[in-house]
Amino acid sequence: MKAPPRIADAARKRITDAIAQIRHSVSAIESGRPGDAEYENSRKVQVLQARTGVSLDEAARVVARPDEGAERIWGKTVDFVDVAFFERGRRAARAVARIVTKDGAPLGTGFLISPRLMMTNNHVIGSEAEAAALVAEFEYERDVGGRMLAPTTYEFEPTSCFVTNSQDDLDYTVVALGRRISGATELAALGYLPVSAARNKHQLGDFVNIIQHPDGRPKEAVIRENQLVARSGTTLDYIADTEPGSSGSPVLNVQFALVALHHWGTPHRELTDENGKTIPKTVNEGIRASSISSDLTTLRTSLQSGPRSLIDEALQLGLSSDAPAASAQTAGEASARVQSTPMVAHVHDGVATWNIPLSVSIRLGDAPSAQMVSAAASAPGTGAAEARVELDPDYSDRDGYDPEFLPGAEVPLPKLSRDLAKLAAKNLRVGRNEDPYELKYHHYSVIMNGARKLAFVSAVNIDGATSKDYDRSTGKITDPMMGIDGDDASEASELWFPEHRIRDDEQTPRDFYEGQTTFDAQGNQILDKRTSGHRNRMFQKGHLTRRQDPLWGDDESIIKFANADTFHVTNCSPQVGFFNMGIFKQGTNAEMRAASEKQAVHPGGNLYWRALEEFVLTNARAERERVSVFTGAVFDDENDIPWDRGRQEMRGFKAPRQFWKLLLRVENNELQATALVADQSPLIDYVPEALLRGEAVSKPLPYDKIKKYHFSVAELQKITGLAFGATVMKADTFGAGGRSASGRREVRRIEDVAILRPPQTKKRRK
């Protein structure tokens, strides 16, 4: 089936935008150095290690000195492959089918991703009704003698499972197969091509293989005459020959592992770059397997138990499969293993994507139907932005919070008391000699209060010298714009992930905040377009470590993954309305930048909870300095707000009234530690009966009533139970300006917060 115009137009634009990548890759390929096409060294290392079995250190050495080790690892020419290549290809081909109408008209290609589920494009099968009118025809192919085999046909069973995404840069459908209509081959004998989110499956310059039914013909393959030339947030571009009918074909690497779902291959001779040069007409586009895996992980929690179990099985196979294409025997064995293995090890019911339809003055919609979940329906208005949140599936490479990050100062993670340690969630995959409670992410770490399902602390390192901004709508990484573009209005992105290193009952489930009546934060008036999609629910999912904070460094892949890491549910806490970002102010970028520089206020409002941290981050970027930030909730079991919303699994859950931050930086060659506490009690107590019903109020909340405090570190230690250590205690700025060395004081303006310790003078010897 030919891709519809909207998909073709979008693909053309993406390919045009990627012209620099394409030309660089083609140049590297034509010069006989295809490995030079890939620009992410970390990806090169992981791909090399996965394909050769050498250690990561050895792979890194080869990547760093390709002329010294490449031949030993890869052989003298890319034309040499292991003879197992043919067997892997044969196994992979068995899982591929022709999709036809019940009267035999061909529409496209599909392939099994598990013993029961088939994947194809949304533009091939776009609805349950369409699926019910089609069949999957396996073994429509010739044998070694050129004779046609007798095909085996299965009907689709969309009532058992149907998940689709119509976005032009995702464009996939997963649907269950039902009874066999004709032929003799059992599904278990066909194998499957697992959908994995691993990033060690491809690099630019790689050969890919496409198994397809072009124009409805018997099964064919495009083998090793096609190479990857560009990569975007959700798509791969490759030079290959495909025809109509190839839509829905698997794009496979040299080991026949799935790297993409082919969805567009129309010739585009008319495309030229900015210099008028024609883009190679054979560039085709596929949807990255990792993007589909992430999207399925997002959508599965909206399904009922039956469809969800089938999706979970497919996701589990993608996580655990060692072989790119399972044989008939291994397919059955793997299926049995999945069914007998608790899903909590990898994929949880709490997996997370809080895709909540936000509408003014209406109740949020119920979960989508069990058989069909569309990303467009789940998150209206988010469009392709959500697809840019790309999660790194390999948690072993997370560096976490670095206690030696600040120059000349060592600041370890806060220590738990013996009583708090009893409440903490244990990392089920902790390494030897590692903190058993620390969950490491890219550039930040979290310690969870498993009893309260919220974080004790989220600790982040921020490097102002290499800080970056990441646009989730385009996937582009740019130099920072001083934090004045209202980017934190995207806090309600709704795309969140579970933490599979701790138990499900030690974290909040994805749909816990759904079903709250909403209204505009400024009454009924729609705000500036940058925040018009962010409504004032009673409790929003507020980031603890901010999305921008860990986005730094020179490795663009790490920046993208660090962005996604902040969307783990462990980094989320219930915060009322715009409590965590202030009230949006109208104004131009220049006006807001001037206000930020002169008054040190966050453009989103003058609530210092955000303003001081933004002020510190802005200066860190401007001065190319380093900053560390600890953030958490103040747990007060006696006074916090019961908010289990009638859910059995959340019985006893309470929303914290207070949140704290500890800002750490080095200035005047000395560590400076500033402790802040914000109390959202005035907003909670404003309409407690509405809060407990999960509703909003009929008029704007009085944000100016939020209580804001500058705390001493000693006082913060007292109310949290955490031990910050003697180094931080000594660096406390609370005593500056003649204030007492311990306690708290309410503040109304950012200028009231002391952010520098008084100069230390040496005592004279008598």
Side-chain angles (χ1 to χ4, degrees), residues 750-762:
I750 191 172
E751 293 87 349
D752 296 333
V753 179
I755 59 174
L756 286 176
R757 294 175 57 222
Q760 301 296 301
T761 58
K762 295 183 179 180

Side-chain angles (χ1 to χ4, degrees), residues 86 110 131 153 161 185 197 207 241 253 297 322 368 390 481 497 512 521 633 659:
F86 300 104
T153 304
C161 185
T185 306
F207 288 101
D241 292 325
N253 68 12
T297 300
D322 293 327
E390 185 179 342
M481 295 296 294
F497 301 97
F512 183 56
F659 295 88

Side-chain angles (χ1 to χ4, degrees), residues 714-726:
E715 189 73 7
L716 182 63
Q717 199 163 259
K718 183 189 301 182
I719 68 169
T720 62
L722 301 172
F724 298 104

Side-chain angles (χ1 to χ4, degrees), residues 98 137-142 148 151 213 216-219:
R98 189 172 74 142
E137 192 173 48
F138 293 91
E139 299 173 322
Y140 183 73
E141 57 193 85
R142 292 183 173 86
M148 287 297 298
H213 284 280
R217 295 196 302 267
K219 191 179 299 177

Side-chain angles (χ1 to χ4, degrees), residues 53 164 210 251 298 376 394 557 628 693 754 759 762:
T164 193
I210 304 175
V251 182
T298 293
D394 181 9
S557 64
S628 292
R693 290 195 304 268
K762 295 183 179 180

Side-chain angles (χ1 to χ4, degrees), residues 21 24 33 45 69 239 268 293 312 318 373 427 467 471 502 598 616 644 746 753 756:
Q21 275 193 71
H24 169 73
R33 299 182 64 90
V45 171
I239 297 175
H268 44 284
S293 176
D312 284 349
V373 182
N427 184 344
S467 182
D471 187 337
I502 62 175
K598 293 179 180 179
V616 171
D644 61 25
E746 187 172 356
V753 179
L756 286 176

Side-chain angles (χ1 to χ4, degrees), residues 415-715:
K415 297 294 184 182
L416 302 177
S417 67
R418 183 174 300 177
D419 288 339
L420 291 185
K422 294 177 182 178
L423 306 176
K426 289 187 176 181
N427 184 344
L428 302 177
R429 300 185 181 181
V430 67
R432 182 177 297 179
N433 299 324
E434 291 184 338
D435 185 335
Y437 306 113
E438 182 182 2
L439 298 168
K440 292 183 178 180
Y441 302 102
H442 289 298
H443 299 156
Y444 85 101
S445 294
V446 170
I447 298 176
M448 284 291 289
N449 183 337
R452 291 289 299 266
K453 307 180 192 295
L454 299 169
F456 276 124
V457 61
S458 185
V460 64
N461 303 126
I462 307 169
D463 185 359
T466 61
S467 182
K468 300 291 191 298
D469 285 335
Y470 180 70
D471 187 337
R472 286 176 296 140
S473 65
T474 64
K476 291 183 179 179
I477 296 170
T478 59
D479 289 333
M481 295 296 294
M482 304 300 287
I484 50 74
D485 288 325
D487 187 58
D488 270 30
S490 62
E491 287 267 43
S493 163
E494 315 305 346
L495 180 57
W496 293 75
F497 301 97
E499 177 49 78
H500 54 255
R501 292 173 291 178
I502 62 175
R503 299 198 316 261
D504 279 351
D505 61 359
E506 294 175 324
Q507 56 191 301
T508 53
R510 51 80 57 190
D511 60 347
F512 183 56
Y513 292 73
E514 293 186 14
Q516 300 179 73
T517 303
T518 65
F519 75 106
D520 194 295
Q522 304 295 325
N524 289 322
Q525 180 182 2
I526 299 297
L527 301 182
D528 179 276
K529 63 181 180 180
R530 286 170 293 184
T531 58
S532 60
H534 193 93
R535 303 289 182 243
N536 183 26
R537 292 187 302 279
M538 282 302 297
F539 275 132
Q540 293 177 353
K541 301 173 291 295
H543 277 66
L544 293 174
T545 284
R546 299 190 320 158
R547 185 176 71 84
Q548 303 101 311
D549 289 353
L551 308 189
W552 53 266
D554 298 322
D555 189 329
E556 291 194 353
S557 64
I558 296 300
I559 291 172
K560 290 187 289 187
F561 291 143
N563 170 74
D565 268 2
T566 67
F567 286 95
H568 279 83
V569 295
T570 49
N571 190 43
C572 168
S573 207
Q575 298 178 350
V576 177
F578 281 73
F579 162 76
N580 68 319
M581 57 176 51
I583 303 172
F584 189 84
K585 284 185 176 180
Q586 300 283 354
T588 66
N589 286 349
E591 290 170 346
M592 289 189 286
R593 181 181 287 109
S596 180
E597 291 172 349
K598 293 179 180 179
Q599 303 172 25
V601 298
H602 185 273
N606 59 4
L607 301 181
Y608 92 92
W609 174 250
R610 262 306 173 70
L612 181 57
E613 189 177 359
E614 184 72 21
F615 174 68
V616 171
L617 176 60
T618 299
N619 282 308
R621 285 174 160 182
E623 302 298 328
R624 305 179 70 79
E625 294 176 341
R626 291 187 166 198
V627 178
S628 292
V629 182
F630 296 164
T631 308
V634 177
F635 296 114
D636 184 347
D637 289 339
E638 185 175 341
N639 295 308
D640 284 343
I641 301 300
W643 202 60
D644 61 25
R645 309 197 64 210
R647 295 178 56 157
Q648 181 65 34
E649 77 274 22
M650 294 297 289
R651 191 61 51 86
F653 180 82
K654 294 182 178 181
R657 288 177 174 270
Q658 298 182 89
F659 295 88
W660 61 272
K661 287 186 182 293
L662 185 59
L663 301 164
L664 301 154
R665 66 205 183 285
V666 172
E667 195 161 337
N668 300 329
N669 295 318
E670 293 184 339
L671 182 67
Q672 311 288 333
T674 304
L676 312 170
V677 173
D679 187 348
Q680 62 180 346
S681 291
L683 305 187
I684 293 175
D685 296 336
Y686 185 56
V687 277
E689 68 286 350
L691 171 72
L692 296 177
R693 290 195 304 268
E695 298 176 0
V697 294
S698 58
K699 56 183 178 179
L701 293 174
Y703 291 104
D704 59 335
K705 301 298 183 184
I706 293 175
K707 292 186 178 297
K708 305 171 283 285
Y709 297 95
H710 184 184
F711 267 51
S712 68
V713 175
E715 189 73 7

